[in-house]
Structures are given as C-alpha cells and as structure tokens.
C-alpha cells in the first residue's frame, strides 16, 4: 500500500502542478488505473486514499508542490525529453545522397488516418534526408472500393500534414503497361489463366495443390486472357502468377495478378475491366517509377518475396523494401470494417467525429499537424507493433498549443453569485500567463456565474477570490450566493475561483471525446457533452482557434456555439 500511496501522490502532484495547483480525484484515479490496471478491481479500496491525498495536495501552494516534486519526484520536471532524443529516422540501408526515391501509395478507399500519416511521413522524410524525391501514387486499381471522395480526402489530409511530393500520379495511368507485362508473363509461361471456382482455389491453396489450369499451354492462356476482356464474367477467370504452391508463405501459392471487375472506375470510367492486383501493380510501379526504397507497414512483410519474384520473372529492377509497425491508438481503431458500421448506425457522426483517428477528426479536435509529424518521427522505424496511448501524441501537441492558446474562463454547472460594492464596471485580464498575447476587457455588473464544483466549498462568512477581479466576503450561501467586494482581502488559504459575467456570458456546448472502444466494446460514453458558460470574448475568436479553458484544458473552437476538448 505504501507504494501505491506514493504513486498516487506522484500523479496528484504532477497534475496539480500542471493545473495551477489543483487536481481532482477522478483524474488521479484514471491515471492510476491507466498505468496500473491491476487496481481496476480494487477501485473501492484506493478511492479513499486518493481522496485524502488529493485534498492534501490541493491544500498546499504551487510553490510547495514544486518543492516536493523536486525533492521526491525530480523525473517529473524533465519529462518527455527521452522521446525527443530519439527524434529522427535511422540511416537508410544502401542510400546515396541525391539518389533516394521513395513513395507513398495510398488506396483511395477510405478517409486518411494516423496510419496513413505514418507511411507518408516516413517515406517523405527519408527523401528529404537524402535530398531525393518522394512520389505520391494513388493506388486506384480496385474500382469497387474506390471513390473520388476518398481520393480528394487523402490529398486534403496530406496537404494539411504539410507532406510535400515531387510527383503525383495514379496507378491507373499505367494500365496498358500492366497488360503488356502481364502478357509477357503469360508468354514466358510464368503466369496462367485460371477458371476454377473461388472455393476450389482456396481449397487448393490450403492443400498446396496445383489446379488443372496451371497445366495449360501458352496458347490456351493467351486465349483465356483475350476472353477476359469480353467473354468471361467477373469471377469466372483470373490470371495467376506461377509461384510455388508448396511454399510455406501462403502469398506465394500462385497469387492473383489480374481479375475482372465491371464496376465503373471513378476516373477511368468503363475503359477497363481487367484490373491488376495490389501485388502486381505495386511491383511494376515501384520498379518503373525508380523507387529505391519502398517502406510499408509490417502487415505487408509477407508480400516482399512475391514482389521480388514478380520483378525477377520480368527482369525488372527491384527496390529495397523496408517495413515499420502499424500505428494505432489504444481505444481508437483505424479499420474501415470497424468505423464504417459505427457511422452507418449513427453511433459516430462522420469521419470528422473527434473520437476518430482520421486526420480530419484529429485536426478538428485541435491536434496540430506539426505535433503529428514530431510524434511519428519520434517513433522511428521500430517493427514491434505497439498500440500507442493517445497521451503520447498529446504531449507533443501540448508544446504547440500551449504557447498560442488564449486562456478563457469557463463555468460548468453554474451557480449565481451577486457581489455588492464593486467599484468598477470592467476588468482587464491577460490572455496568457507568460507570453504577451494582449489583454481582454470584460464588462461586468454585480451578477456573476461561478463553477458549481467550487461553489460547494464556499461557506458563509468566508472569503473567496475571483481570479482577475478581487476578493469577496460571502454573506449568503444558498441556491444563489451573495457577497461584498473587499479591497484588500486575505491572501493566504483563500479559494480562487473563475467566473463569467451573468449577463454577457456565452453558452456553448463542450464536446469531450473519450476512448471509442474499451476492451473491444464500443464505449457508449465515448462522447460527453456539457452545456457550459464562457466569456463573451469567445465569440470574437476565429473558428478553429485553440484556447485553454482555465483549470479544464485545451479546447478547439468548433463554431460559435460549440468547442471540442483537445486534451489536458
Ligand atoms: Zn484453376
């Protein structure tokens, strides 16, 4: 229990110190449960400890908190530095300055997400490191799944991230080349037309058996290829690469090179019906585009042999293939299979819903493109698949938003407070505690709103201090509070409270995104909504501006009547 008490105190001090000296039970509890999941079943036992420690930490001054941190937990004062040290990618195998060509080949079959950002940034960063080139190639050879909407969203997302490409192309621009290379493989006996049923093909693959079609001669395969252009229906014939049906790598067991798809392509229309497989098109494209280093996420690792085998069979140049771990946040899946139904069922509003890991959603939530970039490059090229906690990205983002976010008062669960004897009708409050971001003037009368949580602790006859305004001696505590302004109030042990003027306060909806999934279950409370009151100055801010609501956290202005919580 001593260890856990120490841990609780450490979190409480850290959080209080980062939030003007105050922390809360539930924040410390969630931190403890986050790092020490074994306590999830013992919440009842630790909640009392937490409550006691939090209240003792809240009672000491910020200065005392800092001193205690310095003495007992010095590591808290220099956090995050370790991550920064690893910034930058390791040197590239076989790279020559000025000669490196990389590429990012997204398929336009969905909205771009954090996983795309990783692939794009790593490839682009390597090109930059070696003074080379990076190609954006929209891998659009499956008309059934692809749409212009996704194609456009990918470009918008990449623009926002600030990734620059030297060449932008579509894989479908090279269809005639794929046909030429496909025929070359057929004519050299390295590919054949297979007319087996889908089930038979899978069964033979499992049993590592060749089908009768693989025995057909070149003439017969040529005829089959011709028939694929008109006569065969989708699913009736495919072109397969003569790989190795005995291979332990299932990808090598005579994989598909071409299949018939009659769906209209979003750019090419009905011009083509025989479409190359991913493996075939990526092999050919990487080779002819002069790609020297092709980086993909780890799930493509088994395809490396196949891509090399296809290029060997065609006597074409092979690029170096590298792999990195897939990036996904805990509780925030990126899979379309998971996200699409949530949108269709209305559980998530759209691809820009702040709970999602899409670029559009991250932007809307207030995550900066620069923070994503630094975060991803800090992860480097490790191949171990990790589920990153969202906090890791937050700590990068905080550095970017902290300096530029104006501080505003915000009141939740408001209580009314009337102050008599105020000698002024407006106050000026600095927009940032350290940086010179100017001041804002708040017009006031005697009527204020204060947070319900703070109001609970106010006692009749006590003094409170309204931040930026002054001291008040409380004369009445009830549903509504009353007090008298005091020019020189107490300075020690006094409750400091934020406020907004009742008359001009601005009521907004505050959205707080949480984990979308908890242990593979959709979290019904993944989006909390609060009606809160803020200063009238909120209305003057630009849409998209990042603010810090005092003692609450960073938020992004989504509209005149809605803000989204970014993070603490
Ligand atoms: Zn067959």
């Amino acid at each position: 229990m001593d260890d856990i008490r120490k841990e609780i105190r450490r979190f409480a001090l850290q959080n209080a110190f980062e939030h003007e000296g105050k922390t809360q039970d539930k924040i410390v509890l969630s931190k403890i449960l986050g790092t020490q999941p074994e306590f999830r079943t013992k919440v009842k036992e630790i909640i009392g400890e937490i409550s006691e420690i939090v209240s003792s930490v809240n009672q000491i001054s910020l200065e005392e908190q800092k001193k205690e941190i310095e003495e007992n937990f010095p590591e808290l004062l220099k956090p995050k530095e370790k991550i920064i040290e690893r910034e930058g990618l390791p040197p590239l195998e076989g790279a020559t300055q000025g000669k490196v060509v990389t590429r990012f080949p997204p398929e336009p079959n969905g909205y771009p997400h954090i996983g795309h950002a990783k692939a794009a940034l790593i490839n682009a960063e390597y090109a930059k490191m070696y003074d080379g080139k990076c190609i954006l190639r929209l891998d659009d050879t499956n008309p059934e799944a692809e749409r212009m909407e996704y194609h456009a969203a990918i470009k918008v997302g990449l623009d926002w991230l600030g990734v620059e490409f030297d060449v932008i192309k579509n894989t479908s621009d090279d269809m005639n080349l794929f046909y030429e290379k496909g025929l070359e493989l057929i004519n050299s006996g390295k590919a054949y037309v297979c007319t087996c049923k889908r089930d038979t093909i899978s069964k033979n693959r499992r049993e590592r058996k060749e089908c009768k079609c693989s025995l057909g001669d070149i003439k017969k395969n040529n005829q089959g290829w011709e028939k694929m252009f008109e006569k065969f229906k989708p699913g009736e014939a495919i072109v397969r690469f003569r790989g190795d049906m005995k291979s332990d790598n299932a990808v090598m067991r005579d994989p598909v090179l071409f299949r018939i798809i009659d769906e209209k392509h979003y750019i090419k229309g009905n011009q083509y019906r025989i479409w190359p497989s991913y493996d075939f098109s990526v092999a050919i494209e990487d080779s002819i585009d002069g790609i020297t280093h092709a980086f993909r996420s780890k799930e493509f690792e088994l395809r490396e042999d196949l891509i090399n085998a296809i290029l060997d069979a065609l006597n074409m140049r092979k690029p170096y293939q590298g792999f990195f771990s897939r990036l996904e946040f805990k509780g925030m899946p990126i899979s379309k299979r998971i996200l699409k139904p949530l949108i269709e069922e209305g559980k998530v509003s759209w691809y820009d819903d702040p709970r999602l890991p899409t670029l559009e959603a991250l932007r809307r939530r207030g995550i900066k493109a620069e923070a994503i970039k630094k975060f991803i490059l800090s992860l480097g090229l490790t191949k171990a698949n990790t589920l990153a906690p969202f906090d890791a990205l937050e700590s990068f983002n905080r550095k970017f938003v902290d300096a530029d976010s104006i501080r505003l008062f915000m009141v939740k669960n408001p209580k009314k407070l009337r102050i008599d004897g105020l000698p002024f009708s407006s106050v000026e409050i600095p927009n940032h505690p350290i940086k010179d971001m100017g001041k804002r003037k708040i017009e006031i009368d005697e009527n204020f709103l204060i947070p319900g949580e703070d109001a609970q602790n106010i006692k009749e006859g006590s003094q409170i201090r309204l931040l930026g305004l002054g001291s008040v001696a409380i004369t009445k505590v009830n549903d509504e509070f009353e007090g008298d302004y005091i020019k020189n109030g107490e300075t020690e042990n006094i409750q400091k409270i934020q406020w907004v003027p009742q008359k001009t306060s601005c009521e907004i909806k505050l959205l707080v995104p949480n984990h979308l999934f908890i242990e593979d279950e959709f979290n019904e409370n993944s989006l909390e909504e609060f009606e809160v009151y803020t200063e009238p100055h909120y209305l003057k801010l630009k849409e998209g501006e990042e603010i810090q609501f005092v003692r609450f956290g960073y938020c992004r202005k989504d509209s005149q009547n809605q803000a989204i919580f970014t993070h603490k």
Side-chain angles (χ1 to χ4, degrees), residues 68-165:
E68 188 178 336
I69 292 174
E70 278 166 350
E71 276 166 21
N72 300 336
F73 311 105
E75 73 279 4
L76 295 181
L77 293 172
K78 40 175 178 161
K80 288 124 207 170
E81 229 114 78
K82 272 191 200 121
I83 305 175
I84 297 166
E85 278 167 16
R86 287 196 287 130
E87 193 174 316
L89 298 169
L92 206 48
E93 204 173 299
T96 316
Q97 199 68 26
K99 296 269 165 64
V100 168
V101 184
T102 60
R103 88 291 189 268
F104 171 52
E107 186 184 357
N109 64 350
Y111 280 81
H113 51 64
I114 190 74
H116 290 107
K118 181 169 182 184
L121 285 164
I122 285 180
N123 281 295
E125 191 64 18
Y126 268 133
K128 211 192 279 170
M129 261 169 77
Y130 287 93
D131 236 344
K133 274 199 323 189
C134 186
I135 298 174
L136 170 62
R137 189 171 71 221
L138 287 128
D139 197 26
D140 58 343
T141 56
N142 180 9
E144 273 174 339
E146 296 153 4
R147 301 221 300 256
M148 186 46 99
E149 175 192 348
Y150 302 139
H151 179 115
I154 289 170
K155 286 196 166 172
V156 169
L158 292 168
D159 268 355
W160 173 69
L161 274 181
V163 189
E164 285 172 14
F165 296 96

Side-chain angles (χ1 to χ4, degrees), residues 192 194-196 211-213 240:
Y192 60 92
C194 172
T195 53
C196 293
C211 71
K212 56 184 190 321
C213 321
R240 296 175 71 178

Side-chain angles (χ1 to χ4, degrees), residues 249-252 298-306 323:
N249 181 356
V251 169
M252 291 302 290
K298 210 179 116 179
E299 64 263 32
F300 291 101
E301 213 166 5
L302 288 174
R303 318 205 86 86
E304 182 177 19
D305 287 348
L306 173 58
F323 301 91

Side-chain angles (χ1 to χ4, degrees), residues 1-11 72-73:
M1 214 53 198
D2 275 357
D3 280 354
I4 187 73
R5 283 186 63 88
K6 191 173 172 196
E7 202 58 11
I8 293 170
R9 186 140 191 117
R10 194 168 81 94
F11 279 132
N72 300 336
F73 311 105

Side-chain angles (χ1 to χ4, degrees), residues 41-57:
T41 53
K42 297 180 191 155
V43 170
K44 273 193 191 139
E45 291 157 49
I46 57 169
I47 193 82
E49 300 283 344
I50 290 179
S51 205
E52 196 180 298
I53 292 170
V54 163
S55 116
S56 108
V57 165

Side-chain angles (χ1 to χ4, degrees), residues 500-501 504-508 532-539 560-561:
V500 294
T504 54
S505 73
C506 168
E507 187 182 355
I508 60 167
V532 302
Y533 295 82
T534 185
E535 302 172 31
H537 190 75
Y538 179 84
L539 296 173
Q560 288 294 60
N561 42 32

Side-chain angles (χ1 to χ4, degrees), residues 402-506:
D402 182 67
D404 299 326
S405 297
I406 163 174
R407 270 55 171 171
L408 286 186
F409 292 150
M410 184 273 281
V411 169
K412 248 169 78 183
N413 308 320
K415 288 284 174 193
K416 288 181 177 171
L417 167 66
R418 204 191 76 217
I419 305 174
D420 293 321
L422 272 172
F424 37 77
S425 60
S426 70
V427 284
E428 282 201 332
I429 295 182
N431 288 328
H432 195 282
I434 306 160
K435 206 172 141 185
D436 183 14
M437 286 180 72
K439 289 177 173 186
R440 61 189 186 279
K441 189 171 173 185
I442 310 179
E443 306 285 346
I444 53 171
D445 57 18
E446 69 273 28
N447 295 310
F448 298 85
L449 296 175
I450 57 172
E453 200 175 311
D454 293 325
Q456 279 175 10
N457 305 322
I458 298 179
K459 293 182 184 61
E460 203 172 304
S462 70
Q463 281 189 23
I464 59 169
R465 185 191 294 279
L466 294 190
L467 293 168
L469 193 114
S471 295
V472 178
I474 298 296
T475 55
K476 190 177 156 197
V477 173
N478 212 326
D479 256 6
E480 295 183 9
F481 293 73
E482 287 174 22
D484 296 318
Y485 174 77
I486 326 173
K487 196 158 182 213
N488 297 309
E490 289 169 15
T491 51
E492 294 293 315
N493 298 322
I494 188 165
Q495 198 182 355
K496 300 185 187 76
I497 294 179
Q498 57 179 316
W499 53 273
V500 294
Q502 234 177 80
K503 199 158 66 183
T504 54
S505 73
C506 168

